[in-house]
Amino acid sequence: FSTDISASDTIIPIIDLTEAAEGSSVAQNLQTAWDFSTGSATVSNTTTTVINNTGFWKIDYVFTSSASGAATKTASISINDGAATKVIWKISQYPVATNAVEETKFVFLRAGDSLEVFSSDSASTVDIVYRQVADVNGRLTNPLGFTPQ
Protein backbone atom coordinates (compact mmCIF):
# COMPACT_ATOMS: atom_id res chain seq x y z
CA PHE A 1 0.00 0.00 0.00
CA SER A 2 1.33 3.45 -0.81
CA THR A 3 0.43 6.99 0.06
CA ASP A 4 1.39 10.38 -1.22
CA ILE A 5 3.70 12.33 1.05
CA SER A 6 2.20 15.52 2.38
CA ALA A 7 3.70 18.46 4.24
CA SER A 8 2.50 17.07 7.57
CA ASP A 9 4.20 13.65 7.16
CA THR A 10 7.37 12.91 9.11
CA ILE A 11 10.15 11.07 7.35
CA ILE A 12 12.68 9.33 9.57
CA PRO A 13 15.78 8.27 7.67
CA ILE A 14 17.63 5.15 8.81
CA ILE A 15 21.37 5.42 8.37
CA ASP A 16 23.64 2.45 8.95
CA LEU A 17 27.04 3.76 10.10
CA THR A 18 28.63 0.41 10.85
CA GLU A 19 31.96 -0.44 9.25
CA ALA A 20 30.31 -3.32 7.37
CA ALA A 21 27.74 -0.95 5.83
CA GLU A 22 30.35 1.56 4.71
CA GLY A 23 32.56 -1.15 3.23
CA SER A 24 35.67 -0.34 5.28
CA SER A 25 35.85 -3.64 7.11
CA VAL A 26 36.95 -7.06 6.03
CA ALA A 27 36.37 -10.42 7.68
CA GLN A 28 38.76 -11.08 10.60
CA ASN A 29 40.49 -14.02 8.93
CA LEU A 30 41.12 -11.91 5.81
CA GLN A 31 42.27 -8.88 7.85
CA THR A 32 44.99 -11.00 9.50
CA ALA A 33 46.23 -12.49 6.21
CA TRP A 34 49.97 -12.67 5.65
CA ASP A 35 51.06 -9.93 3.25
CA PHE A 36 54.16 -8.25 1.85
CA SER A 37 54.79 -6.47 5.18
CA THR A 38 55.22 -9.84 6.93
CA GLY A 39 58.55 -10.05 8.74
CA SER A 40 60.56 -13.16 9.51
CA ALA A 41 63.53 -14.36 11.53
CA THR A 42 65.43 -17.57 12.18
CA VAL A 43 66.87 -17.99 15.68
CA SER A 44 69.40 -20.67 16.59
CA ASN A 45 71.74 -20.81 19.60
CA THR A 46 70.92 -17.25 20.78
CA THR A 47 68.27 -14.80 21.98
CA THR A 48 67.01 -12.36 19.34
CA THR A 49 64.67 -9.38 19.63
CA VAL A 50 62.22 -9.91 16.79
CA ILE A 51 59.59 -7.16 17.34
CA ASN A 52 59.96 -3.93 19.30
CA ASN A 53 56.98 -1.91 18.00
CA THR A 54 53.73 -1.44 19.89
CA GLY A 55 50.45 -3.05 18.91
CA PHE A 56 48.85 -6.42 18.31
CA TRP A 57 50.94 -8.91 16.34
CA LYS A 58 50.14 -12.22 14.68
CA ILE A 59 53.08 -14.60 15.01
CA ASP A 60 53.59 -18.06 13.57
CA TYR A 61 56.59 -20.09 14.62
CA VAL A 62 58.11 -23.47 13.92
CA PHE A 63 60.49 -25.07 16.43
CA THR A 64 62.75 -27.70 14.90
CA SER A 65 65.23 -29.85 16.77
CA SER A 66 67.51 -32.70 15.82
CA ALA A 67 69.24 -35.52 17.70
CA SER A 68 72.58 -33.71 17.58
CA GLY A 69 74.17 -33.68 21.04
CA ALA A 70 72.82 -35.18 24.26
CA ALA A 71 71.41 -32.04 25.86
CA THR A 72 67.68 -31.28 26.05
CA LYS A 73 66.67 -28.81 23.34
CA THR A 74 64.92 -25.68 24.62
CA ALA A 75 63.29 -22.72 22.91
CA SER A 76 61.04 -19.90 24.10
CA ILE A 77 59.21 -16.77 23.06
CA SER A 78 59.03 -13.96 25.64
CA ILE A 79 57.83 -10.41 26.11
CA ASN A 80 60.49 -8.19 27.67
CA ASP A 81 59.54 -4.78 29.13
CA GLY A 82 63.14 -3.70 29.80
CA ALA A 83 62.99 -4.77 33.46
CA ALA A 84 61.41 -8.24 33.40
CA THR A 85 60.75 -11.05 30.96
CA LYS A 86 57.46 -12.97 30.66
CA VAL A 87 57.65 -16.29 28.82
CA ILE A 88 54.56 -16.78 26.63
CA TRP A 89 55.68 -20.06 25.00
CA LYS A 90 58.38 -22.57 25.87
CA ILE A 91 59.37 -26.05 24.79
CA SER A 92 61.96 -28.44 26.18
CA GLN A 93 62.49 -31.83 24.63
CA TYR A 94 65.01 -34.60 24.67
CA PRO A 95 66.94 -34.84 21.37
CA VAL A 96 65.14 -36.90 18.74
CA ALA A 97 65.67 -37.33 15.03
CA THR A 98 64.27 -34.11 13.57
CA ASN A 99 61.11 -33.02 15.34
CA ALA A 100 59.01 -29.93 14.54
CA VAL A 101 56.27 -28.02 16.39
CA GLU A 102 54.28 -25.19 14.75
CA GLU A 103 51.82 -22.75 16.35
CA THR A 104 50.16 -19.40 15.62
CA LYS A 105 49.50 -16.85 18.38
CA PHE A 106 48.57 -13.19 18.79
CA VAL A 107 50.58 -10.96 21.14
CA PHE A 108 50.16 -7.39 22.42
CA LEU A 109 53.19 -5.15 22.93
CA ARG A 110 53.02 -1.90 24.90
CA ALA A 111 55.48 0.98 24.64
CA GLY A 112 58.84 -0.37 25.81
CA ASP A 113 57.91 -4.03 25.24
CA SER A 114 59.76 -6.29 22.82
CA LEU A 115 59.22 -9.84 21.62
CA GLU A 116 62.27 -12.07 22.08
CA VAL A 117 62.94 -15.54 20.68
CA PHE A 118 65.42 -17.93 22.34
CA SER A 119 67.02 -21.15 21.10
CA SER A 120 69.32 -23.18 23.37
CA ASP A 121 71.76 -24.51 20.79
CA SER A 122 72.58 -24.86 17.10
CA ALA A 123 70.58 -28.12 16.89
CA SER A 124 67.34 -26.30 17.81
CA THR A 125 65.90 -23.59 15.58
CA VAL A 126 62.88 -21.29 15.79
CA ASP A 127 61.64 -19.89 12.49
CA ILE A 128 59.14 -17.08 13.12
CA VAL A 129 56.99 -14.92 10.85
CA TYR A 130 55.02 -11.93 12.13
CA ARG A 131 52.65 -9.19 11.00
CA GLN A 132 51.01 -6.31 12.87
CA VAL A 133 47.23 -6.77 12.84
CA ALA A 134 46.23 -3.76 14.99
CA ASP A 135 47.91 -0.72 16.48
CA VAL A 136 48.35 -0.16 20.22
CA ASN A 137 44.84 1.40 20.37
CA GLY A 138 43.21 -1.59 18.68
CA ARG A 139 42.68 0.02 15.26
CA LEU A 140 42.96 -2.80 12.74
CA THR A 141 45.87 -2.81 10.31
CA ASN A 142 44.68 -4.07 6.95
CA PRO A 143 47.01 -6.14 4.77
CA LEU A 144 49.51 -4.01 2.85
CA GLY A 145 47.94 -2.67 -0.33
CA PHE A 146 44.35 -3.56 0.65
CA THR A 147 41.86 -0.73 0.20
CA PRO A 148 38.23 -1.41 1.14
CA GLN A 149 35.72 -0.55 -1.56
Side-chain angles (χ1 to χ4, degrees):
F1 126 78
S2 67
T3 61
D4 291 332
I5 296 178
S6 67
S8 64
D9 290 337
T10 302
I11 299 173
I12 302 172
I14 299 173
I15 301 171
D16 186 349
L17 298 176
T18 64
E19 288 183 354
E22 70 173 83
S24 66
S25 68
V26 64
Q28 186 271 342
N29 62 328
L30 299 178
Q31 185 272 325
T32 62
W34 300 114
D35 67 1
F36 204 73
S37 71
T38 299
S40 65
T42 298
V43 178
S44 185
N45 199 31
T46 191
T47 299
T48 301
T49 298
V50 177
I51 305 168
N52 58 10
N53 293 326
T54 61
F56 293 86
W57 295 84
K58 176 183 178 181
I59 62 172
D60 184 89
Y61 49 89
V62 177
F63 168 72
T64 307
S65 67
S66 70
S68 175
T72 299
K73 309 304 179 194
T74 304
S76 65
I77 298 175
S78 304
I79 297 174
N80 184 316
D81 70 357
T85 299
K86 297 287 184 177
V87 175
I88 59 171
W89 175 83
K90 184 177 182 178
I91 190 168
S92 295
Q93 63 182 213
Y94 187 75
V96 295
T98 308
N99 189 30
V101 175
E102 179 176 11
E103 293 183 8
T104 300
K105 294 191 181 305
F106 292 85
V107 296
F108 174 69
L109 301 178
R110 307 164 298 170
D113 289 351
S114 60
L115 189 79
E116 298 178 339
V117 178
F118 165 76
S119 163
S120 63
D121 63 24
S122 59
S124 60
T125 302
V126 179
D127 290 300
I128 184 168
V129 293
Y130 52 90
R131 182 177 93 71
Q132 186 174 30
V133 294
D135 67 15
V136 72
N137 297 310
R139 285 186 298 269
L140 298 179
T141 304
N142 284 324
L144 186 66
F146 173 74
T147 305
Q149 297 298 318

